[in-house]
């Protein structure tokens, strides 16, 4: 069963462009990773400081591999400098259908 990850970010004042650039830079290398089924950042049209990343991974092992990549390590360092608050991350699986 695949795993959907929803990560919510809020940029600090004046850091909106840096946040957007950092998240966009993650798209290509993430999609090239084994087990990455989808990876897309979204911007809130009413609040340019707020972005959400929606990812889908084949399983938890693929997600754990993502966290160990150099590009994830780099973006983590960037996010520590540009976020107004810690990122909120939710891991979701498909709800059972009755």
């Amino acid at each position: 069963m695949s795993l959907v990850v929803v990560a919510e970010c809020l940029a600090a004042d004046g850091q909106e462009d840096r946040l957007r650039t950092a998240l966009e830079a993650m798209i290509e290398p993430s999609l090239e990773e084994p087990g990455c089924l989808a990876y897309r950042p979204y911007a809130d049209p009413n609040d340019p400081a707020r972005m959400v990343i929606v990812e889908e991974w084949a399983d938890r092992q693929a997600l754990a591999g993502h966290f160990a990549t150099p590009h994830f390590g780099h973006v983590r360092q960037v996010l520590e400098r540009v976020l107004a608050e810690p990122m909120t991350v939710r891991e979701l699986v498909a709800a059972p259908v009755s």
Side-chain angles (χ1 to χ4, degrees), residues 5-27:
V5 176
V6 178
E8 298 179 37
C9 302
L10 179 64
D13 289 340
Q15 298 297 315
E16 297 86 357
D17 288 341
R18 286 187 72 195
L19 174 60
R20 183 179 320 280
T21 299
L23 296 181
E24 288 174 352
M26 289 291 291
I27 297 169

Side-chain angles (χ1 to χ4, degrees), residues 51-62:
M51 294 193 70
V52 174
I53 306 98
V54 179
E55 312 167 30
E56 185 173 6
W57 297 91
D59 51 33
R60 287 192 187 281
Q61 184 177 7

